[in-house]
Amino acid sequence: MLQLPIDETEARLNLNVTWSDDDTDAKIYYTYTSAKSQIDDYAGCEVDYKNDILGKQLLKDLARYIWNDCRDEFESRFQHEIIKFRNDRMVRLYVSEREVGEGEEDTLRDV
C-alpha cells in the first residue's frame, strides 16, 4: 500500500476494514490523502499527524466521513473542533513569529 499520513493498521481499524485487496487499499489511500489535504487546508500548513493529536483525530474523523460517503456533513458536525484546531495553529504561528523576531521592535500596527 502507498504511504498514509498515519499508521496503516490504525487507518484500517479506524475504518473498520479487516481485509485487504487492491480496490480496498486504493480506496483507503484515496480516503486518507483526501482527508489529509482538507485538514492541512484547515491548518494552513502541512500537519505532523504523528505528533499533533487534534490534527490526527480530525484526520481520522474526516476519513470516516469520506469512507461512508458523507463528507458534506463533516464541517457542520465538527465545526467546534475545526475552529479550535485553526485557532491553535494561529497561536502557534504567532508565537513562532514572535520568537524569530525576539529582540526586534514590535512591527504590528495598532488597528
Side-chain angles (χ1 to χ4, degrees), residues 28-46:
I28 290 171
Y29 177 75
Y30 163 78
T31 297
Y32 277 95
T33 55
S34 181
K36 178 188 182 309
S37 176
Q38 188 167 337
I39 300 300
D40 287 352
D41 185 54
Y42 291 151
C45 63
E46 192 167 320

mmCIF file of all heavy atoms in Angstrom, residues 28-46:
data_model
loop_
_atom_site.group_PDB
_atom_site.id
_atom_site.type_symbol
_atom_site.label_atom_id
_atom_site.label_comp_id
_atom_site.label_asym_id
_atom_site.label_seq_id
_atom_site.Cartn_x
_atom_site.Cartn_y
_atom_site.Cartn_z
ATOM 1 N N ILE A 28 -8.720 3.208 0.578
ATOM 2 C CA ILE A 28 -8.164 3.682 1.852
ATOM 3 C C ILE A 28 -7.152 4.791 1.586
ATOM 4 O O ILE A 28 -7.166 5.835 2.243
ATOM 5 C CB ILE A 28 -7.517 2.531 2.650
ATOM 6 C CG1 ILE A 28 -8.594 1.577 3.161
ATOM 7 C CG2 ILE A 28 -6.673 3.065 3.813
ATOM 8 C CD1 ILE A 28 -8.057 0.296 3.764
ATOM 9 N N TYR A 29 -6.274 4.581 0.614
ATOM 10 C CA TYR A 29 -5.275 5.590 0.268
ATOM 11 C C TYR A 29 -5.957 6.881 -0.175
ATOM 12 O O TYR A 29 -5.617 7.975 0.300
ATOM 13 C CB TYR A 29 -4.344 5.066 -0.828
ATOM 14 C CG TYR A 29 -3.335 6.090 -1.272
ATOM 15 C CD1 TYR A 29 -2.236 6.393 -0.469
ATOM 16 C CD2 TYR A 29 -3.489 6.782 -2.466
ATOM 17 C CE1 TYR A 29 -1.321 7.364 -0.858
ATOM 18 C CE2 TYR A 29 -2.585 7.742 -2.858
ATOM 19 C CZ TYR A 29 -1.501 8.030 -2.050
ATOM 20 O OH TYR A 29 -0.608 8.997 -2.430
ATOM 21 N N TYR A 30 -6.919 6.799 -1.066
ATOM 22 C CA TYR A 30 -7.653 7.979 -1.533
ATOM 23 C C TYR A 30 -8.326 8.676 -0.351
ATOM 24 O O TYR A 30 -8.260 9.907 -0.224
ATOM 25 C CB TYR A 30 -8.713 7.610 -2.576
ATOM 26 C CG TYR A 30 -9.717 8.723 -2.745
ATOM 27 C CD1 TYR A 30 -9.405 9.857 -3.492
ATOM 28 C CD2 TYR A 30 -10.954 8.674 -2.110
ATOM 29 C CE1 TYR A 30 -10.299 10.901 -3.607
ATOM 30 C CE2 TYR A 30 -11.855 9.723 -2.215
ATOM 31 C CZ TYR A 30 -11.526 10.837 -2.963
ATOM 32 O OH TYR A 30 -12.415 11.874 -3.061
ATOM 33 N N THR A 31 -8.968 7.903 0.511
ATOM 34 C CA THR A 31 -9.695 8.456 1.654
ATOM 35 C C THR A 31 -8.773 9.278 2.540
ATOM 36 O O THR A 31 -9.080 10.422 2.891
ATOM 37 C CB THR A 31 -10.353 7.325 2.470
ATOM 38 O OG1 THR A 31 -11.319 6.659 1.637
ATOM 39 C CG2 THR A 31 -11.039 7.850 3.714
ATOM 40 N N TYR A 32 -7.624 8.717 2.899
ATOM 41 C CA TYR A 32 -6.717 9.412 3.814
ATOM 42 C C TYR A 32 -5.956 10.559 3.151
ATOM 43 O O TYR A 32 -5.708 11.573 3.793
ATOM 44 C CB TYR A 32 -5.766 8.429 4.491
ATOM 45 C CG TYR A 32 -6.427 7.786 5.686
ATOM 46 C CD1 TYR A 32 -7.061 6.563 5.574
ATOM 47 C CD2 TYR A 32 -6.457 8.437 6.913
ATOM 48 C CE1 TYR A 32 -7.694 5.994 6.659
ATOM 49 C CE2 TYR A 32 -7.087 7.871 8.000
ATOM 50 C CZ TYR A 32 -7.706 6.647 7.870
ATOM 51 O OH TYR A 32 -8.343 6.093 8.957
ATOM 52 N N THR A 33 -5.605 10.423 1.887
ATOM 53 C CA THR A 33 -4.915 11.544 1.232
ATOM 54 C C THR A 33 -5.884 12.703 1.010
ATOM 55 O O THR A 33 -5.491 13.869 1.140
ATOM 56 C CB THR A 33 -4.249 11.131 -0.095
ATOM 57 O OG1 THR A 33 -5.208 10.531 -0.953
ATOM 58 C CG2 THR A 33 -3.094 10.181 0.153
ATOM 59 N N SER A 34 -7.121 12.399 0.724
ATOM 60 C CA SER A 34 -8.135 13.431 0.568
ATOM 61 C C SER A 34 -8.398 14.129 1.907
ATOM 62 O O SER A 34 -8.480 15.361 1.978
ATOM 63 C CB SER A 34 -9.412 12.814 0.018
ATOM 64 O OG SER A 34 -10.404 13.777 -0.159
ATOM 65 N N ALA A 35 -8.520 13.339 2.960
ATOM 66 C CA ALA A 35 -8.738 13.897 4.300
ATOM 67 C C ALA A 35 -7.536 14.738 4.723
ATOM 68 O O ALA A 35 -7.696 15.831 5.280
ATOM 69 C CB ALA A 35 -8.988 12.781 5.306
ATOM 70 N N LYS A 36 -6.332 14.254 4.445
ATOM 71 C CA LYS A 36 -5.110 14.983 4.795
ATOM 72 C C LYS A 36 -5.085 16.340 4.113
ATOM 73 O O LYS A 36 -4.782 17.356 4.732
ATOM 74 C CB LYS A 36 -3.869 14.179 4.416
ATOM 75 C CG LYS A 36 -2.552 14.896 4.703
ATOM 76 C CD LYS A 36 -1.379 14.127 4.137
ATOM 77 C CE LYS A 36 -0.055 14.774 4.430
ATOM 78 N NZ LYS A 36 0.064 16.173 4.098
ATOM 79 N N SER A 37 -5.424 16.366 2.850
ATOM 80 C CA SER A 37 -5.436 17.618 2.099
ATOM 81 C C SER A 37 -6.399 18.620 2.729
ATOM 82 O O SER A 37 -6.073 19.808 2.875
ATOM 83 C CB SER A 37 -5.824 17.335 0.651
ATOM 84 O OG SER A 37 -5.933 18.515 -0.072
ATOM 85 N N GLN A 38 -7.560 18.167 3.124
ATOM 86 C CA GLN A 38 -8.557 19.065 3.703
ATOM 87 C C GLN A 38 -8.126 19.547 5.093
ATOM 88 O O GLN A 38 -8.253 20.732 5.402
ATOM 89 C CB GLN A 38 -9.915 18.375 3.787
ATOM 90 C CG GLN A 38 -11.032 19.324 4.189
ATOM 91 C CD GLN A 38 -12.405 18.726 3.957
ATOM 92 O OE1 GLN A 38 -12.572 17.816 3.148
ATOM 93 N NE2 GLN A 38 -13.381 19.244 4.669
ATOM 94 N N ILE A 39 -7.594 18.665 5.925
ATOM 95 C CA ILE A 39 -7.153 19.058 7.267
ATOM 96 C C ILE A 39 -5.953 20.004 7.164
ATOM 97 O O ILE A 39 -5.870 20.992 7.895
ATOM 98 C CB ILE A 39 -6.829 17.832 8.141
ATOM 99 C CG1 ILE A 39 -8.067 16.932 8.297
ATOM 100 C CG2 ILE A 39 -6.288 18.261 9.502
ATOM 101 C CD1 ILE A 39 -9.271 17.572 8.932
ATOM 102 N N ASP A 40 -5.023 19.716 6.258
ATOM 103 C CA ASP A 40 -3.890 20.628 6.046
ATOM 104 C C ASP A 40 -4.392 22.006 5.613
ATOM 105 O O ASP A 40 -3.835 23.032 6.010
ATOM 106 C CB ASP A 40 -2.920 20.073 5.004
ATOM 107 C CG ASP A 40 -2.089 18.912 5.507
ATOM 108 O OD1 ASP A 40 -2.126 18.603 6.710
ATOM 109 O OD2 ASP A 40 -1.396 18.287 4.672
ATOM 110 N N ASP A 41 -5.441 22.032 4.808
ATOM 111 C CA ASP A 41 -6.023 23.293 4.375
ATOM 112 C C ASP A 41 -6.613 24.046 5.564
ATOM 113 O O ASP A 41 -6.446 25.258 5.679
ATOM 114 C CB ASP A 41 -7.093 23.043 3.311
ATOM 115 C CG ASP A 41 -7.640 24.338 2.731
ATOM 116 O OD1 ASP A 41 -6.839 25.163 2.256
ATOM 117 O OD2 ASP A 41 -8.873 24.511 2.753
ATOM 118 N N TYR A 42 -7.299 23.344 6.459
ATOM 119 C CA TYR A 42 -7.821 23.988 7.670
ATOM 120 C C TYR A 42 -6.683 24.596 8.482
ATOM 121 O O TYR A 42 -6.812 25.676 9.031
ATOM 122 C CB TYR A 42 -8.547 22.985 8.568
ATOM 123 C CG TYR A 42 -9.849 22.451 8.049
ATOM 124 C CD1 TYR A 42 -10.279 21.185 8.413
ATOM 125 C CD2 TYR A 42 -10.676 23.199 7.221
ATOM 126 C CE1 TYR A 42 -11.488 20.677 7.967
ATOM 127 C CE2 TYR A 42 -11.878 22.691 6.758
ATOM 128 C CZ TYR A 42 -12.280 21.430 7.144
ATOM 129 O OH TYR A 42 -13.465 20.931 6.694
ATOM 130 N N ALA A 43 -5.565 23.876 8.563
ATOM 131 C CA ALA A 43 -4.427 24.323 9.367
ATOM 132 C C ALA A 43 -3.645 25.443 8.691
ATOM 133 O O ALA A 43 -2.949 26.205 9.355
ATOM 134 C CB ALA A 43 -3.494 23.150 9.652
ATOM 135 N N GLY A 44 -3.709 25.516 7.384
ATOM 136 C CA GLY A 44 -2.929 26.494 6.654
ATOM 137 C C GLY A 44 -1.484 26.067 6.465
ATOM 138 O O GLY A 44 -0.643 26.859 6.062
ATOM 139 N N CYS A 45 -1.196 24.812 6.770
ATOM 140 C CA CYS A 45 0.147 24.261 6.608
ATOM 141 C C CYS A 45 0.052 22.737 6.659
ATOM 142 O O CYS A 45 -1.006 22.189 6.938
ATOM 143 C CB CYS A 45 1.084 24.750 7.725
ATOM 144 S SG CYS A 45 0.582 24.212 9.360
ATOM 145 N N GLU A 46 1.158 22.085 6.389
ATOM 146 C CA GLU A 46 1.182 20.622 6.480
ATOM 147 C C GLU A 46 1.252 20.216 7.949
ATOM 148 O O GLU A 46 2.092 20.708 8.701
ATOM 149 C CB GLU A 46 2.372 20.058 5.711
ATOM 150 C CG GLU A 46 2.269 18.556 5.535
ATOM 151 C CD GLU A 46 3.252 18.029 4.515
ATOM 152 O OE1 GLU A 46 3.455 18.690 3.482
ATOM 153 O OE2 GLU A 46 3.805 16.958 4.777
#
